[in-house]
Amino acid sequence: MHNEYRFLIDCGEGTQRQILQSGIGFKRLNRVLITHGHLDHILGLAGLLSTFMRWETIEKLEIYGGQWALDRVHDLIYGIVLRGAKPPMDLQLLQIQPGLIFAEGGFTVTAFPVWHRGPDCFGYLFEEKPRRPFIPEKADALNLPMGPWRRDLVDGKPVTLPDGRTINPDQVLGPQRPGTRLVHVGDVGRTAEIEEVCRNADALIIESTYLQEETDMAERFAHLTARQAAELAARGGVGKLILTHISRRYRERDVLAEAQAIFPETIVARDFATFQVRRGECTPVENPGSNG
Ligand SMILES: [Zn+2]
Ligand SMILES: [Zn+2]
């Protein structure tokens, strides 16, 4: 079963070059989620679009974002890149509200509001459906034969065995387990509003533009320090903290040191990582950075 979906979250300058260099390609790259309308998060759409116009073909491109972000994306694409030409694919700008924006293939994407400069800033939660694990010991105790019955029971369907017995899913499945949760937050100036959504996330990808020594700058421009991001991860019991949007003025190891002192499970991904979200795993694919 091909059950693979790709999302690009934000599109900074040079993103299409990074995708080319990284070798992961443009295939099935049909969905771009925009966190907000600042230029360092959308300018790369121009390059992406012109790449598609010249020599890559995809049938459809959906760009999700808040109204402010999409207004700027619209101006950029139709006013500057296309200038009257037709989009090289079925291009859709999809304005979102907080809440569910995508549900397919056993997982959902939910948008939630974040506080930053400007209106309509969003973070995104990728969440697998909860599932009930198959308990082999229970199946053995029932003398459940090998065969298609097991799969049906996992799918929640009662089965009738060749010997005439009917087995219900409850007899062989364990209690429900939550699915994998991956939270992506773009630029954000404070963490109070997002604590709840981050709780127990398997991975939290979030900006960390400043170090603690520049807390005043972080406050002024509505960004986080590495320390604030790490405190959020620690409070929420997050699995892994992935820091992005690091200022070029800092050394990566200083950012890591500040965060890991509070939350050891921290890594730094330079801006605008690409993600593959599959059943059971959310894999960030790191790209080299661009400015933010
Ligand atoms: Zn911003
Ligand atoms: Zn930014």
Side-chain angles (χ1 to χ4, degrees):
M1 272 276 290
H2 278 89
N3 215 349
E4 192 181 273
Y5 297 84
R6 291 181 67 188
F7 292 85
L8 178 69
I9 302 180
D10 285 342
C11 198
E13 220 180 326
T15 298
Q16 93 280 1
R17 211 166 46 236
Q18 292 171 356
I19 292 174
L20 283 171
Q21 279 169 3
S22 70
I24 58 178
F26 296 94
K27 238 184 174 173
R28 290 190 306 279
L29 188 57
N30 299 119
R31 297 184 183 90
V32 183
L33 308 180
I34 301 292
T35 59
H36 66 298
H38 282 150
L39 289 181
D40 57 317
H41 296 256
I42 63 169
L43 269 184
L45 288 171
L48 194 66
L49 255 286
S50 34
T51 300
F52 285 137
M53 285 164 84
R54 268 177 291 145
W55 45 271
E56 284 279 343
T57 49
I58 55 169
E59 277 175 19
K60 189 172 183 177
L61 184 64
E62 296 176 339
I63 302 174
Y64 297 77
Q67 190 192 337
W68 173 53
L70 289 191
D71 284 350
R72 294 187 96 170
V73 167
H74 185 277
D75 290 352
L76 177 66
I77 290 178
Y78 288 95
I80 294 174
V81 180
L82 296 174
R83 303 187 70 210
K86 259 173 59 116
M89 79 288 281
D90 174 9
L91 175 66
Q92 298 191 12
L93 304 189
L94 301 165
Q95 191 187 327
I96 57 166
Q97 308 287 340
L100 187 72
I101 59 170
F102 182 88
E104 222 175 283
F107 77 98
T108 57
V109 184
T110 307
F112 55 91
V114 304
W115 187 85
H116 181 53
R117 306 194 317 279
D120 301 327
C121 302
F122 290 100
Y124 297 101
L125 163 67
F126 295 80
E127 192 170 25
E128 263 190 316
K129 280 197 191 128
R131 52 182 206 94
R132 298 179 63 184
F134 186 81
I135 311 288
E137 293 78 15
K138 289 189 174 184
D140 290 346
L142 290 165
N143 279 322
L144 187 74
M146 290 293 178
W149 304 284
R150 292 180 179 229
R151 196 189 50 227
D152 285 347
L153 287 163
V154 168
D155 288 342
K157 297 175 198 147
V159 297
T160 304
L161 298 177
D163 64 13
R165 286 183 296 153
T166 297
I167 308 287
N168 288 307
D170 283 340
Q171 292 174 267
V172 293
L173 300 184
Q176 199 172 71
R177 277 199 210 138
T180 307
R181 285 161 54 88
L182 180 144
V183 177
H184 185 110
V185 177
D187 294 359
V188 58
R190 62 182 187 222
T191 57
E193 291 85 355
I194 55 174
E195 284 217 31
E196 193 54 45
V197 74
C198 293
R199 186 153 298 136
N200 297 323
D202 296 281
L204 167 62
I205 299 125
I206 193 165
E207 73 126 305
S208 157
T209 311
Y210 291 100
L211 289 178
Q212 200 192 355
E213 66 199 29
E214 292 192 296
T215 301
D216 52 331
M217 295 278 281
E219 272 170 25
R220 177 135 58 104
F221 295 107
H223 284 296
L224 293 187
T225 65
R227 184 191 171 91
Q228 285 175 300
E231 285 171 346
L232 172 69
R235 278 198 304 274
V238 161
K240 196 147 214 96
L241 174 64
I242 303 165
L243 300 178
T244 63
H245 207 271
I246 312 286
S247 165
R248 282 187 177 283
R249 296 174 298 118
Y250 297 135
R251 289 179 306 182
E252 196 168 306
R253 66 168 180 269
D254 295 334
V255 177
L256 263 185
E258 181 171 309
Q260 284 177 338
I262 293 152
F263 190 77
E265 286 298 313
T266 304
I267 57 175
V268 166
R270 288 281 171 177
D271 288 347
F272 310 116
T274 306
F275 296 91
Q276 293 193 337
V277 182
R278 296 194 187 110
R279 273 184 103 101
E281 62 174 321
C282 302
T283 318
V285 183
E286 287 180 35
N287 285 328
S290 88
N291 54 333

